[in-house]
């Protein structure tokens, strides 16, 4: 499949003389004319941080029971219309961005002195990435992204916080900091773009990069939901690749499944399954297991991990704990480190205000659904959601009749995967 791109030079200047990132500036793209996303338009995120912690109301329970009566065990839920009241007020594309809430730990990976240090730093980052992606303990479902939907944001990380040490990160007990750099020249910028590239199957892609640290992550994920009785399981099919260009290393990783439990009472979410992290160049790999709660007894949210140097069959690090609580790491030299995810500093996203967003950017696209959910007007939110989804179906039928395939804006299909059109590893 051939795509013809005309990309402007990577280092063009914006109106104020500042540099425009390749994540932020695209010349002619398959579906649109020029698109300009200026970093100085981005403001610190002030959206709701938590979802309302309420269980299922009685009238909502009857709706869920009616829905359940029509489902079969193992049934694919991809095309099942779920009730609006189970939605949380953000798109799945934005949820992927929230996995980057600790960008200091991500950027610290490239500062590791040895391949062993770098792979361990990546495992430490990976295990701490999931808790902030959940908005509270209640299991709610993000909006299913519309094909062509995009989400842009960035983070600024003070340079003095990028220290790869085997000591617990310093942060005040029992609270989240919101670290901000007063002087942009004293901070690294991590930029993020996500796009829904396919409707059937539902495939999301996201790419983030830090040019100064020569680090980038490219990921494609296909979410597949199935009915499991009193639970709903969501498989995250696909993979991501972390590239450390300074070291010529690529870390290929997969993602765990998610489960919404107790869907008739107080729904809660847990992660489950075995995931892998592999670096072919260095021979290091990691296996991470997210343990689901046993039917009787047992702890929730348990995770264990093991980092191995395959050429020598040596285990260099082990970890155990809770992915949304405390994690303990033990290294081959006998040292240990404890990370409490609840006290790690959280870096707020920087995102452009709604009035400066395009019509297909997540918050602008879903703004009316979000507004009515905040007001508690479920009927109006449902109608707005139905309008968006019907428009998507009409446009899909139109493309089918014209035999015109959908052409994503920022990602290109390569084999079974999807790659950002102008990634850091191809930039000149």
């Amino acid at each position: 499949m051939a795509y013809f791109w005309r990309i402007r030079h990577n280092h063009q200047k914006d109106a104020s003389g500042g540099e425009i990132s390749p994540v932020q500036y695209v010349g002619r793209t398959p579906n649109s004319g020029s698109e300009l996303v200026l970093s100085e338009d981005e403001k610190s995120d002030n959206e709701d941080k938590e979802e309302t912690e309420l269980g299922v109301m009685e009238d909502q329970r009857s709706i869920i029971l009616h829905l359940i009566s029509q489902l079969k065990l193992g049934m694919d839920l991809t095309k099942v219309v779920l009730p609006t009241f189970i939605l949380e007020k953000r798109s799945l594309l934005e949820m992927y961005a929230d996995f980057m809430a600790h960008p200091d730990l991500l950027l610290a990976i490239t500062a590791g002195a040895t391949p062993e240090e770098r792979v361990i730093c990546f495992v430490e980052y990976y295990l701490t990435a999931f808790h902030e992606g959940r908005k509270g303990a209640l299991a709610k479902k993000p909006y299913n992204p519309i094909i062509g939907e995009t989400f842009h944001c960035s983070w600024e990380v003070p340079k003095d916080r990028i220290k790869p040490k085997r000591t617990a990160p310093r942060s005040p007990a029992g609270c989240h900091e919101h670290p901000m750099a007063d002087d942009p020249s004293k901070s690294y910028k991590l930029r993020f773009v996500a796009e829904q590239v396919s409707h059937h199957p539902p495939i999301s892609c996201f790419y983030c990069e830090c040019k100064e640290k020569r680090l980038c992550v490219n990921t494609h994920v296909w979410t597949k939901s199935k009915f499991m009785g009193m639970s709903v399981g969501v498989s995250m099919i696909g993979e991501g690749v972390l590239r450390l260009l300074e070291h010529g290393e690529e870390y290929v990783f997969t993602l765990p499944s998610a489960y919404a439990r107790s869907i008739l009472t107080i729904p809660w979410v847990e992660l489950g399954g075995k995931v892998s992290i592999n670096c072919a160049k260095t021979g290091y790999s990691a296996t991470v297991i997210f343990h689901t709660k046993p039917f009787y007894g047992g702890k929730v949210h348990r995770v264990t991990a093991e980092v191995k140097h395959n050429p020598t069959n040596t285990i260099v690090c082990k970890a155990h704990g809770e992915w949304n609580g405390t994690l303990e790491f033990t290294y081959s030299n006998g040292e240990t480190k404890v990370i409490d995810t609840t006290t790690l500093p959280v870096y707020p996203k920087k995102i452009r205000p709604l009035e400066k967003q395009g019509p297909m950017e997540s918050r602008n696209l879903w703004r009316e659904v979000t507004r009515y959910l905040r007001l508690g007007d479920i009927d109006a939110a449902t109608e707005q959601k139905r309008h968006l989804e019907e428009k998507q179906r009409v446009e899909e039928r139109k493309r089918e009749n014209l035999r015109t395939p959908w052409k994503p804006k920022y990602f290109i299909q390569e084999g079974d995967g999807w790659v950002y059109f102008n990634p850091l590893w191809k930039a000149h």
Side-chain angles (χ1 to χ4, degrees):
M1 185 183 296
Y3 291 110
F4 298 93
W5 303 87
R6 182 162 68 83
I7 310 302
R8 304 292 177 90
H9 296 297
N10 293 340
H11 302 291
Q12 293 214 358
K13 304 290 182 179
D14 60 37
S16 65
E19 188 175 289
I20 299 172
S21 161
V23 170
Q24 297 175 295
Y25 183 66
V26 184
R28 294 292 298 175
T29 62
N31 289 336
S32 69
S34 296
E35 177 163 318
L36 187 62
V37 177
L38 298 176
S39 61
E40 62 266 27
D41 287 340
E42 292 178 336
K43 304 279 193 288
S44 289
D45 187 26
N46 58 3
E47 286 285 306
D48 294 344
K49 292 292 183 282
E50 298 289 335
E51 288 291 322
T52 305
E53 297 288 339
L54 294 175
V56 177
M57 302 293 107
E58 194 58 43
D59 56 337
Q60 297 173 350
R61 184 178 290 109
S62 63
I63 294 172
I64 295 176
L65 277 169
H66 176 68
L67 179 64
I68 287 174
S69 70
Q70 302 174 62
L71 303 177
K72 295 178 181 177
L73 282 176
M75 184 175 177
D76 183 355
L77 298 180
T78 304
K79 296 183 181 180
V80 175
V81 178
L82 299 174
T84 304
F85 59 75
I86 70 166
L87 295 177
E88 61 176 273
K89 299 181 286 289
R90 60 174 174 166
S91 170
L92 180 65
L93 298 186
E94 182 169 354
M95 190 189 80
Y96 291 135
D98 289 330
F99 288 145
M100 303 285 177
H102 306 306
D104 53 333
L105 299 183
L106 177 65
L107 298 184
I109 298 168
T110 195
T114 64
E116 180 178 319
E117 278 190 23
R118 290 191 289 275
V119 70
I120 289 173
C121 282
F122 183 32
V123 172
E124 290 176 357
Y125 163 75
Y126 185 95
L127 291 179
T128 61
F130 295 97
H131 78 104
E132 194 62 26
R134 298 305 318 157
K135 299 294 184 185
L138 191 66
K140 286 199 168 186
K141 182 182 178 298
Y143 307 141
N144 284 334
I146 301 293
I147 191 168
E149 179 182 334
T150 62
F151 182 80
H152 302 260
C153 68
S154 66
W155 297 264
E156 288 185 358
V157 185
K159 292 182 178 180
D160 60 6
R161 287 183 174 265
I162 309 302
K163 296 174 182 177
K165 293 181 179 179
R166 287 187 178 177
T167 55
R170 292 192 305 273
S171 59
C175 70
H176 282 26
E177 289 183 72
H178 292 138
M180 299 293 288
D182 296 327
D183 181 354
S185 68
K186 294 180 180 178
S187 67
Y188 295 114
K189 197 173 193 77
L190 183 68
R191 297 178 172 93
F192 177 97
V193 60
E195 180 177 10
Q196 191 72 6
V197 298
S198 172
H199 182 46
H200 296 301
I203 300 174
S204 307
C205 299
F206 65 85
Y207 172 84
C208 66
E209 69 172 34
C210 178
K211 289 170 68 174
E212 301 96 322
K213 298 294 284 182
R214 301 188 66 212
L215 170 152
C216 62
V217 179
N218 190 103
T219 304
H220 65 276
V221 184
W222 166 21
T223 55
K224 190 170 185 179
S225 306
K226 66 178 179 179
F227 177 60
M228 303 167 64
M230 289 298 103
S231 301
V232 173
V234 182
S235 299
M236 310 280 270
I237 303 164
E239 65 179 28
V241 182
L242 165 70
R243 287 176 171 86
L244 307 181
L245 302 184
E246 183 182 338
H247 305 289
E249 295 170 359
E250 296 182 4
Y251 298 81
V252 181
F253 61 92
T254 55
L255 296 166
S257 296
Y259 300 91
R261 308 294 194 191
S262 306
I263 58 177
L264 278 179
T265 53
I266 301 178
W268 57 281
V269 69
E270 69 173 340
L271 303 179
K274 180 187 288 189
V275 301
S276 62
I277 297 169
N278 291 288
C279 180
K281 177 181 178 180
T282 65
Y284 283 97
S285 67
T287 300
V288 180
I289 300 175
F290 292 86
H291 301 268
T292 55
K293 184 183 180 300
F295 192 75
Y296 291 109
K299 292 183 178 180
V300 295
H301 309 312
R302 284 182 57 240
V303 64
T304 55
E306 192 173 86
V307 184
K308 191 175 184 181
H309 184 240
N310 295 298
T312 59
N313 202 32
T314 306
I315 295 171
V316 298
C317 176
K318 286 187 174 184
H320 66 91
E322 294 82 42
W323 56 265
N324 60 355
T326 301
L327 296 159
E328 183 174 338
F329 296 84
T330 304
Y331 309 103
S332 55
N333 62 1
E335 291 182 9
T336 61
K337 176 168 82 171
V338 174
I339 296 178
D340 184 350
T341 63
T342 65
T343 62
L344 285 175
V346 172
Y347 290 71
K349 299 189 294 288
K350 299 192 75 175
I351 184 168
R352 286 157 26 259
L354 287 176
E355 62 270 18
K356 295 194 176 183
Q357 292 186 21
M360 291 302 290
E361 292 190 57
S362 295
R363 289 193 181 176
N364 200 14
L365 179 67
W366 294 95
R367 66 191 300 174
E368 290 303 301
V369 179
T370 301
R371 182 167 76 88
Y372 284 118
L373 283 176
R374 285 204 179 106
L375 292 171
D377 190 338
I378 300 302
D379 290 341
T382 300
E383 178 57 27
Q384 291 294 329
K385 176 175 173 286
R386 189 200 62 76
H387 173 73
L388 286 176
E389 292 169 343
E390 181 57 28
K391 183 181 177 186
Q392 176 177 229
R393 283 189 285 269
V394 168
E395 291 175 353
E396 188 173 25
R397 286 194 293 269
K398 194 182 297 183
R399 287 193 301 273
E400 286 175 358
N401 292 336
L402 295 173
R403 295 185 179 180
T404 305
W406 174 260
K407 294 179 181 178
K409 185 174 287 187
Y410 296 114
F411 292 86
I412 303 170
Q413 189 167 14
E414 291 189 0
D416 293 332
W418 292 80
V419 178
Y420 181 65
F421 79 99
N422 190 30
L424 202 55
W425 69 87
K426 292 183 181 177
H428 300 294

